[in-house]
Each structure stands twice: as C-alpha cells, then as structure tokens.
Amino acid sequence: MCGIVGYVGRRSCAEVLIDALSKLEYRGYDSAGIAVFEQGQIRMRKSKGRLADLSEQMKHTGIPQGNAGIGHTRWATHGEPSDLNSHPHRGGRYVTLVHNGIIENFRELKQRLTEAGRSFVSDTDTEVAAQLLDQNYAGDPLAAIAKTMEQIRGSFALGILFSDFPDTVYAVRRESPLIVGAGEGESFIASDVPAILKYTKNYYLLEHDEIAVLDRNGIRFFDMQSNPLEKQLMTADWDMDAAEKQGYEHFMLKEIHEQPEAIRRTVLPRVANGLPDLSECGITKENIRDFRNIYIVACGTAMHAGMVGKNVIEKLAGVPVIVDIASEFRYRSPLIGAGDLIIIISQSGETADSLAAMRLAKQLGAKTLAVVNAKGSSIAREADMLIYTHAGPEIAVASTKAYMVQIAVMYLFAFELALSRGTITEETCRRLTAQLLEMPAVITEILARKDALKEIAGSLLKAESLLYIGRGLDYALSMEGSLKLKEISYIHSEAYAAGELKHGTISLIYPGMPVIAVDTQKALHEKTVSNIKEVKARGAVTILVCGDSYQPEADIADHCFRLPETADDQLMPMPAVVPLQLIAYYTAVLRGNDVDKPRNLAKSVTVE
C-alpha cells in the first residue's frame, strides 16, 4: 500500500528519495513526504497530493540538503489525506519515522501515551508508533526498536531516523514487505524492487522482526536481541526498461502489449516434450493427484483468475474446487485439512489477506501452492509448492499481464493434474498444451486490431451504470472485465451470470444502458444469445465479444468485437480478456482519468 524508501550514500538524498518514490507510485497514495539529515538536523517536507505537489512545495520551502534520509507515499488508513497526516512523523525529541501497514492496538497505545503526557498532532497510527519509540529510547536505537516491537501489534514496516545518530537509517518489519538495497558506497530501503533498480539490482530481504542499520560503513542486520545476522544477497532479474513506459502513453497499455511475451516466459520453461512439467515448482504427478478438494484463495483480479482455474480443473481433472475470497476465508471456519490443497494466487506475494489465509490452511494440515510474481515474497517463501508467473514488474494499479499469466499457470496446473489422475489422455494433454503455447500469437493478432475498441469505449462515456454478462468461463471473464472498467473509469458496473438476469437484475435495464456480453463458449451459445435478446428487448445497447465463427444478427449487437477462436473453448478466456482490458483502458483515457493510478486504489494490498 504505502511506499517506503530510505537512502544513505554520496548523492543528494532528497533527489534519490523523490526519484525512488516515483517508481512506487503504482502502489497508490494520497500524500508524500521526506526527512533528510541536513548538517546533523532532521529536515522534513511533506504534502497532501502527488509527488509533484511535494516537489512544487519544496521550490518555495527549500530542498533539504544531505546524504541520508527516508521518504514515504501514504495510502490513508487512519485519518483523512492531509499535510498533517502525511508521513514522516516525529515522535518527540529523537524519533522521525515512516510506516507502511497497520498498528492494530494504536488506540490503547495512544491513550497510554497521552496519559503519560505526550501530545499528538495527527490522526494516524503512525504517529503513535513514533511517540512510543521515542518514549522507549534511552540512547540505544536497537534496544528501543526491540522494546517497541514487543508492544506493537499488527502488520507493518518502519523506516526510522534517530536525531542523535546522524546519517543513519534504521528499518524493521513485521509482515509488511521491505527490502534493503546494496549499491556501490550507498544503501537503500524500499517497499519494492522497482524503487531501487536505477541504482542497484542487489538487495537483501528483511525478514520478520529483523532490524537493518544503514550508515556510511554499509549495512548491518540484527535480531531483536541485538545479535548480528548474516543475510543472503539477492539479485533482481528485472531491468529499468521493464519499469519504464518505453513510449507508451500509460503503463497499463504497455503491460497489455507485454502479455504475449509474459505468457512465453511463464509457459515455455514449464513444457517438456509437449507436456506440462512443473517439477521445478515442487509439483509432480505423484504429489498432486490424490487431493480430495482444491481451494483457490485470492483477492480481486487474482480471484477472477481462480474462477477460470476452477472451471478448467473441475472439467478436466474432476476434482471439486472452491474459490474463496481471501478476506472472508479465515472467518467462516473453513472445513479443510489433510488431503486438501490450497492454491494462493497473489501478484505481489504480500497480500495480507491471502498470506493470512495460507497460514491458516497450513495450520489445519492442508498443502499449499503459491502462484506469485514476486520472488522472495512472504507467500512464496512459506508455501509448500511454488509457481512463479514471470510477468516482470507490473506498474499500473489495474492488473492485466499478471492476470493473464495467472490464468496460464491455472491451465498448466489443470493439464498436469488431469493427466496425473488419468482423466485425460496424454494425447489430449499434448493438444491442450500446444494450444496454450499458441496464445501469444493469438493475443498479438487481437492487439493489432485494438483501434476498433476505441469506438466501443466511446459509447460508454456517458453511461452511469452498465452490466457484463456471460455463462460459464464467460461469466468468470465478465467479472474481470467489470472490475477493470470500474477500477479505472469510475463507471459503476456489475457482472452477472447471464442466466440470472431474470431473477431480479433485469429490472435494472433501461433504454440506452450498455450491456457487455461475452459469448465464447459454443456449448452455451444459444443460451447466451437468448439472454442478450432479453436485455436488447428492454432497450439496452449491447456490446458483444464473441468468436469469429459467429455472425450476430442485427437485433443482437449494437457493437461487436470478434475473436480468433481456439480449437478448444476452454482456452478462450486468454484471448477474450484482452478486448475487455482495452475497453476499460480506452474508456478511462477518454474520460480523462489517471489510468495508471486510479483514485483510492493501491497495487500491493498489505493491510487487512
């Protein structure tokens, strides 16, 4: 959610902090700030709004001059977006800090601190952490941090300055992600790898309740007892080009165009002799074929990828699959245990609700499989089995290529599972795998026709509300298409199983209301067409996404986008989601919205 950065080195700290924070804008934020050691004093600048607002403010108030400091972009959880609630926060005489996550017991801590005579200027839980750390400080930063960590409950990461330890940055984390970058004569802290790629690809993963100390002498790590730790240095396999727009107007459009290559990177290494091979992921035919039930647990777009996975796994492998919203999973006493498999899908690998769901599943005796994009993430490290999606950095808040490769992984897993259980033949598995390998070319063909989708997007500009409808896999696609549109265009939309319209929802149809119908499943075609006619008869403007073998009648569709068809309808969700992504993208562009950074949203959701 929030973005944290820190720097110690030779460069202008303020410039590095602002630049690094700009690489984390995809996380979503409403205010920004920095604190820099300037001639032994901590100088702070912060502002509601974008980084541009902070930079403009510093033109008048001055840019702090120094070589060490911390920075932050805030996504509000406690207190409205404002200058006062922006980070960094001071905790009294000694402590200045930035914070990502939630301090769950901040109310009781705030009351205790207030009774002890401390006063607060913000509404944030962050200032409570700063005041508590300052109260616990008696000259030893490590001891004060350890004592504070004992008193705080929640999921959080902190970047800290102590006024009497100039040009030194301290960092600690519990649950929320934080990395420590190692450059030539300089070091960094950051919430995510893209923040530091311009300066170094080398970094350490800070584990739970570990403390990092960055100063002129380099980087040191300690546990809660102040014992030094040895850490493994890792190297990012991303480059700066992957985190830049490269001529595209928006990251989202760039990432939609990157989907064919993302599929290749994800699928090709997992195919051997024409068959899926997930052995490098800890998956073999022997250790997956006997699961009684499969649960797919995820949030948002990742959950929609799970809906596609459910359909394909049940049809091919004959194993019951339940798709659960991660934020609900723990609170319904799930009936899982030994013999069950829990698949956790998460782009960041740090999604708080998904991580908590996985830990519960492990406690109950189930096996866990993680499908993530971020190497070394919490979910990746703790799962029993792991499939990386190799999408590369996804900067736009609205997920596109991460969703696409999550679907690709669901297909690979379904094919391998079905083959291991003997519910499909090797010949069928080879045929399906070959079709999956053809997807990059099919999607490239669709992208070449993207201009046709601008006209469709133009028809949505004045809509107050619209519906997406489909059946089977097309319903799963409709859910994702609807989410994409509402995320970035701010038009209200809902997805419905087309057959459910008559059970209440059709009362919402009014003349001129747009309805986007997805119709790619031949076995359900006639049923879907009947549902389209029902809304058309009530005055809806219908937009049809269908296979190119169907020539819709004039009374079916006002707009139609036809897709190259796959030999097996089960793979149609991959090409069919592309026009839905582009319709959402062009609608948002035409409405003048900030496509890559939609309001109120964050990329990496690390709070519950």
Side-chain angles (χ1 to χ4, degrees):
M1 307 284 269
C2 303
I4 289 178
V5 297
Y7 176 74
V8 177
R10 304 177 304 275
R11 306 174 196 259
S12 166
C13 181
E15 292 181 11
V16 173
L17 295 177
I18 295 296
D19 177 68
L21 287 173
S22 73
K23 302 302 189 295
L24 297 178
E25 287 190 292
Y26 63 91
R27 296 175 72 90
Y29 70 105
D30 48 56
S31 57
I34 62 172
V36 175
F37 276 109
E38 182 180 75
Q39 296 181 347
Q41 302 295 313
I42 298 174
R43 305 297 184 195
M44 192 159 63
R45 300 288 187 269
K46 57 183 184 175
S47 172
K48 175 185 174 182
R50 297 295 189 187
L51 284 169
D53 298 306
L54 177 62
S55 297
E56 184 65 27
Q57 181 205 89
M58 289 194 294
K59 289 180 182 178
H60 305 287
T61 60
I63 300 172
Q65 300 299 313
N67 306 110
I70 52 178
H72 188 268
T73 50
R74 178 177 186 252
W75 189 84
T77 57
H78 296 74
E80 66 181 7
S82 70
D83 289 354
L84 281 177
N85 288 332
S86 304
H87 298 208
H89 283 283
R90 297 192 191 276
R93 180 179 177 185
Y94 296 103
V95 171
T96 300
L97 62 74
V98 292
H99 160 230
N100 179 22
I102 296 286
I103 307 298
E104 293 177 353
N105 59 334
F106 86 101
R107 292 187 187 278
E108 60 189 76
L109 292 172
K110 187 172 185 177
Q111 181 177 348
R112 190 189 314 162
L113 290 162
T114 302
E115 291 171 352
R118 292 195 169 248
S119 58
F120 294 82
V121 298
S122 78
D123 302 316
T124 67
D125 57 342
T126 304
E127 190 184 3
V128 174
Q131 292 278 13
L132 180 63
L133 182 55
D134 191 80
Q135 183 183 69
N136 289 334
Y137 183 59
D140 183 344
L142 296 181
I145 292 170
K147 185 175 180 179
T148 302
M149 293 291 282
E150 290 177 359
Q151 297 170 293
I152 290 178
R153 296 197 308 271
S155 170
F156 50 86
L158 305 175
I160 310 163
L161 305 181
F162 291 90
S163 61
D164 53 348
F165 281 81
D167 294 340
T168 304
V169 172
Y170 294 80
V172 66
R173 69 168 289 228
R174 179 178 295 160
E175 308 294 349
S176 291
L178 200 65
I179 63 169
V180 180
E184 291 292 331
E186 56 188 356
S187 49
F188 309 79
I189 62 169
S191 300
D192 207 351
V193 172
I196 64 171
L197 280 178
K198 179 177 177 179
Y199 307 99
T200 183
K201 291 186 178 182
N202 298 321
Y203 66 96
Y204 300 93
L205 285 171
L206 199 61
E207 300 287 353
H208 306 312
D209 291 356
E210 290 182 348
I211 303 170
V213 182
L214 289 61
D215 60 22
R216 299 287 187 182
N217 298 316
I219 305 167
R220 292 168 290 152
F221 298 96
F222 301 90
D223 63 17
M224 287 293 111
Q225 288 73 45
S226 299
N227 298 312
L229 300 172
E230 294 294 326
K231 302 282 291 180
Q232 179 184 357
L233 187 65
M234 303 183 70
T235 302
D237 57 3
W238 299 348
D239 55 32
M240 276 301 296
D241 287 344
E244 299 293 343
K245 290 181 184 175
Q246 294 181 300
Y248 287 93
E249 185 177 358
H250 298 99
F251 277 111
M252 183 176 178
L253 184 61
K254 172 178 178 276
E255 287 155 10
I256 289 171
H257 278 263
E258 288 174 340
Q259 290 180 124
E261 181 57 31
I263 295 169
R264 291 188 189 96
R265 286 198 305 267
T266 301
V267 174
L268 277 174
R270 278 76 180 258
V271 174
N273 300 317
L275 295 171
D277 181 1
L278 299 174
S279 56
E280 56 131 2
C281 309
I283 297 171
T284 65
K285 293 178 175 60
E286 292 72 28
N287 69 5
I288 64 170
R289 66 185 173 201
D290 296 324
F291 288 117
R292 300 173 308 181
N293 303 288
I294 294 175
Y295 293 76
I296 300 177
V297 182
C299 305
T301 286
M303 186 195 71
H304 299 158
M307 294 292 294
V308 174
K310 168 187 169 68
N311 276 268
V312 178
I313 291 169
E314 287 188 339
K315 182 173 182 179
L316 293 179
V319 181
V321 179
I322 297 171
V323 178
D324 252 313
I325 300 171
S327 59
E328 293 290 323
F329 180 75
R330 286 183 295 157
Y331 305 111
R332 63 171 186 80
S333 301
L335 301 176
I336 61 174
D340 295 329
L341 174 66
I342 313 300
I343 301 176
I344 303 290
I345 307 177
S346 169
Q347 185 269 337
S348 70
E350 299 289 352
T351 308
D353 290 313
S354 300
L355 179 58
M358 186 179 76
R359 288 172 175 167
L360 174 62
K362 289 172 74 74
Q363 290 172 14
L364 295 174
K367 289 292 185 182
T368 56
L369 165 62
V371 178
V372 301
N373 192 49
K375 289 188 176 180
S377 59
S378 297
I379 291 174
R381 294 199 307 274
E382 296 184 28
D384 298 311
M385 297 171 281
L386 169 64
I387 304 177
Y388 281 120
T389 50
H390 300 304
E394 187 177 66
I395 306 302
V397 169
S399 179
T400 52
K401 64 175 179 176
Y403 170 80
M404 183 68 79
V405 291
Q406 287 164 356
I407 292 177
V409 165
M410 287 292 95
Y411 282 116
L412 281 172
F413 179 79
F415 299 164
E416 178 123 358
L417 179 62
L419 185 60
S420 72
R421 292 171 63 86
T423 52
I424 62 172
T425 64
E426 184 175 307
E427 179 184 358
T428 298
C429 191
R430 288 184 185 279
R431 176 173 54 80
L432 291 169
T433 303
Q435 290 181 55
L436 183 60
L437 291 169
E438 293 170 1
M439 284 299 108
V442 174
I443 292 170
T444 299
E445 180 182 340
I446 294 169
L447 290 170
R449 296 191 286 119
K450 65 180 185 292
D451 286 351
L453 296 163
K454 292 181 182 178
E455 179 183 352
I456 293 175
S459 71
L460 304 179
L461 292 185
K462 295 182 180 179
E464 296 180 0
S465 183
L466 59 91
L467 295 179
Y468 284 71
I469 61 173
R471 287 174 174 262
L473 284 166
D474 290 335
Y475 172 46
L477 272 178
S478 295
M479 294 172 69
E480 175 59 12
S482 175
L483 178 61
K484 280 293 147 291
L485 187 80
K486 70 181 78 172
E487 279 182 315
I488 61 175
S489 77
Y490 314 145
I491 299 173
H492 173 259
S493 67
E494 298 296 337
Y496 279 88
E500 285 294 293
L501 284 172
K502 55 187 173 290
H503 297 295
T505 309
I506 203 164
S507 66
L508 297 175
I509 303 296
Y510 57 84
M513 180 182 185
V515 175
I516 298 179
V518 186
D519 177 23
T520 70
Q521 303 297 297
K522 292 186 177 67
L524 299 170
H525 170 67
E526 291 183 359
K527 301 285 187 183
T528 302
V529 167
S530 296
N531 299 137
I532 298 171
K533 288 183 176 180
E534 289 169 0
V535 298
K536 188 67 175 168
R538 288 158 177 83
V541 174
T542 53
I543 298 163
L544 179 63
V545 176
C546 63
D548 58 12
S549 64
Y550 176 48
Q551 296 285 350
E553 300 87 342
D555 63 343
I556 292 293
D558 295 286
H559 304 276
C560 181
F561 190 87
R562 295 166 65 229
L563 302 161
E565 294 179 343
T566 59
D568 193 301
D569 288 349
Q570 289 181 88
L571 280 92
M572 283 302 290
M574 295 184 75
V577 77
V578 177
L580 302 185
Q581 294 169 341
L582 287 166
I583 288 171
Y585 169 77
Y586 286 123
T587 303
V589 170
L590 292 172
R591 286 169 66 93
N593 295 347
D594 190 343
V595 174
D596 289 333
K597 299 185 284 292
R599 67 189 183 201
N600 301 331
L601 297 182
K603 183 70 172 177
S604 181
V605 186
T606 55
V607 299
E608 298 179 51

mmCIF file of all heavy atoms in Angstrom, residues 1 75 77 100-102 155 176 350 352-353 604-608:
data_model
loop_
_atom_site.group_PDB
_atom_site.id
_atom_site.type_symbol
_atom_site.label_atom_id
_atom_site.label_comp_id
_atom_site.label_asym_id
_atom_site.label_seq_id
_atom_site.Cartn_x
_atom_site.Cartn_y
_atom_site.Cartn_z
ATOM 1 N N MET A 1 0.858 -1.174 0.000
ATOM 2 C CA MET A 1 0.000 0.000 0.000
ATOM 3 C C MET A 1 0.901 1.233 0.000
ATOM 4 O O MET A 1 1.320 1.698 -1.026
ATOM 5 C CB MET A 1 -0.927 0.008 1.223
ATOM 6 C CG MET A 1 -1.734 -1.274 1.389
ATOM 7 S SD MET A 1 -3.089 -1.364 0.253
ATOM 8 C CE MET A 1 -4.378 -0.614 1.192
ATOM 9 N N TRP A 75 -1.020 5.871 1.685
ATOM 10 C CA TRP A 75 -2.371 5.452 1.315
ATOM 11 C C TRP A 75 -3.175 5.431 2.604
ATOM 12 O O TRP A 75 -2.919 4.622 3.484
ATOM 13 C CB TRP A 75 -2.342 4.070 0.658
ATOM 14 C CG TRP A 75 -3.632 3.637 0.045
ATOM 15 C CD1 TRP A 75 -4.100 3.941 -1.196
ATOM 16 C CD2 TRP A 75 -4.626 2.780 0.642
ATOM 17 N NE1 TRP A 75 -5.316 3.341 -1.405
ATOM 18 C CE2 TRP A 75 -5.663 2.628 -0.297
ATOM 19 C CE3 TRP A 75 -4.734 2.153 1.888
ATOM 20 C CZ2 TRP A 75 -6.791 1.852 -0.031
ATOM 21 C CZ3 TRP A 75 -5.863 1.394 2.139
ATOM 22 C CH2 TRP A 75 -6.870 1.240 1.191
ATOM 23 N N THR A 77 -5.171 5.137 5.893
ATOM 24 C CA THR A 77 -5.941 4.165 6.664
ATOM 25 C C THR A 77 -6.488 4.792 7.937
ATOM 26 O O THR A 77 -7.607 4.502 8.341
ATOM 27 C CB THR A 77 -5.082 2.941 7.037
ATOM 28 O OG1 THR A 77 -3.932 3.374 7.776
ATOM 29 C CG2 THR A 77 -4.634 2.182 5.807
ATOM 30 N N ASN A 100 4.531 1.693 6.838
ATOM 31 C CA ASN A 100 3.574 1.015 5.955
ATOM 32 C C ASN A 100 2.874 -0.052 6.773
ATOM 33 O O ASN A 100 3.524 -0.790 7.515
ATOM 34 C CB ASN A 100 4.304 0.373 4.763
ATOM 35 C CG ASN A 100 3.353 -0.358 3.834
ATOM 36 O OD1 ASN A 100 2.159 -0.086 3.814
ATOM 37 N ND2 ASN A 100 3.880 -1.289 3.053
ATOM 38 N N GLY A 101 1.547 -0.145 6.652
ATOM 39 C CA GLY A 101 0.823 -1.188 7.354
ATOM 40 C C GLY A 101 -0.138 -0.623 8.384
ATOM 41 O O GLY A 101 -0.558 0.534 8.315
ATOM 42 N N ILE A 102 -0.472 -1.439 9.360
ATOM 43 C CA ILE A 102 -1.472 -1.094 10.370
ATOM 44 C C ILE A 102 -0.918 -1.399 11.765
ATOM 45 O O ILE A 102 -0.405 -2.498 12.007
ATOM 46 C CB ILE A 102 -2.771 -1.909 10.170
ATOM 47 C CG1 ILE A 102 -3.422 -1.552 8.826
ATOM 48 C CG2 ILE A 102 -3.738 -1.675 11.320
ATOM 49 C CD1 ILE A 102 -4.097 -0.209 8.784
ATOM 50 N N SER A 155 0.595 -5.476 11.332
ATOM 51 C CA SER A 155 1.435 -5.785 10.178
ATOM 52 C C SER A 155 2.016 -4.464 9.693
ATOM 53 O O SER A 155 1.273 -3.567 9.292
ATOM 54 C CB SER A 155 0.596 -6.444 9.080
ATOM 55 O OG SER A 155 1.312 -6.542 7.875
ATOM 56 N N SER A 176 4.647 -6.710 6.724
ATOM 57 C CA SER A 176 4.689 -5.836 5.553
ATOM 58 C C SER A 176 6.055 -5.920 4.870
ATOM 59 O O SER A 176 7.091 -6.000 5.545
ATOM 60 C CB SER A 176 4.397 -4.392 5.950
ATOM 61 O OG SER A 176 3.055 -4.239 6.337
ATOM 62 N N GLU A 350 2.547 -10.592 -1.194
ATOM 63 C CA GLU A 350 2.494 -9.978 0.133
ATOM 64 C C GLU A 350 1.068 -9.602 0.529
ATOM 65 O O GLU A 350 0.876 -8.971 1.571
ATOM 66 C CB GLU A 350 3.377 -8.723 0.178
ATOM 67 C CG GLU A 350 4.848 -8.964 -0.097
ATOM 68 C CD GLU A 350 5.563 -9.695 1.028
ATOM 69 O OE1 GLU A 350 4.952 -9.884 2.098
ATOM 70 O OE2 GLU A 350 6.733 -10.089 0.838
ATOM 71 N N ALA A 352 -2.011 -9.191 2.294
ATOM 72 C CA ALA A 352 -2.171 -9.546 3.708
ATOM 73 C C ALA A 352 -3.244 -10.608 3.918
ATOM 74 O O ALA A 352 -3.033 -11.583 4.658
ATOM 75 C CB ALA A 352 -2.495 -8.293 4.517
ATOM 76 N N ASP A 353 -4.403 -10.437 3.294
ATOM 77 C CA ASP A 353 -5.491 -11.404 3.485
ATOM 78 C C ASP A 353 -5.116 -12.779 2.944
ATOM 79 O O ASP A 353 -5.432 -13.805 3.552
ATOM 80 C CB ASP A 353 -6.771 -10.899 2.809
ATOM 81 C CG ASP A 353 -7.374 -9.701 3.520
ATOM 82 O OD1 ASP A 353 -7.496 -9.750 4.757
ATOM 83 O OD2 ASP A 353 -7.726 -8.723 2.849
ATOM 84 N N SER A 604 -0.282 -3.018 -4.142
ATOM 85 C CA SER A 604 0.102 -4.089 -3.221
ATOM 86 C C SER A 604 -0.674 -3.898 -1.921
ATOM 87 O O SER A 604 -0.361 -2.995 -1.142
ATOM 88 C CB SER A 604 1.613 -4.033 -2.963
ATOM 89 O OG SER A 604 2.005 -5.063 -2.092
ATOM 90 N N VAL A 605 -1.681 -4.722 -1.702
ATOM 91 C CA VAL A 605 -2.595 -4.501 -0.574
ATOM 92 C C VAL A 605 -2.081 -5.260 0.645
ATOM 93 O O VAL A 605 -2.357 -6.446 0.824
ATOM 94 C CB VAL A 605 -4.033 -4.923 -0.935
ATOM 95 C CG1 VAL A 605 -4.994 -4.557 0.180
ATOM 96 C CG2 VAL A 605 -4.468 -4.241 -2.229
ATOM 97 N N THR A 606 -1.332 -4.544 1.479
ATOM 98 C CA THR A 606 -0.657 -5.183 2.602
ATOM 99 C C THR A 606 -1.350 -4.919 3.929
ATOM 100 O O THR A 606 -0.760 -5.121 4.987
ATOM 101 C CB THR A 606 0.798 -4.698 2.683
ATOM 102 O OG1 THR A 606 0.817 -3.262 2.742
ATOM 103 C CG2 THR A 606 1.585 -5.147 1.456
ATOM 104 N N VAL A 607 -2.596 -4.426 3.878
ATOM 105 C CA VAL A 607 -3.403 -4.294 5.097
ATOM 106 C C VAL A 607 -4.658 -5.136 4.937
ATOM 107 O O VAL A 607 -5.102 -5.416 3.835
ATOM 108 C CB VAL A 607 -3.779 -2.825 5.390
ATOM 109 C CG1 VAL A 607 -2.533 -1.998 5.605
ATOM 110 C CG2 VAL A 607 -4.637 -2.232 4.284
ATOM 111 N N GLU A 608 -5.231 -5.544 6.074
ATOM 112 C CA GLU A 608 -6.428 -6.370 6.047
ATOM 113 C C GLU A 608 -7.696 -5.537 6.172
ATOM 114 O O GLU A 608 -8.765 -5.985 5.906
ATOM 115 C CB GLU A 608 -6.371 -7.402 7.188
ATOM 116 C CG GLU A 608 -5.202 -8.362 7.067
ATOM 117 C CD GLU A 608 -5.157 -9.335 8.216
ATOM 118 O OE1 GLU A 608 -6.174 -9.981 8.511
ATOM 119 O OE2 GLU A 608 -4.092 -9.453 8.850
#
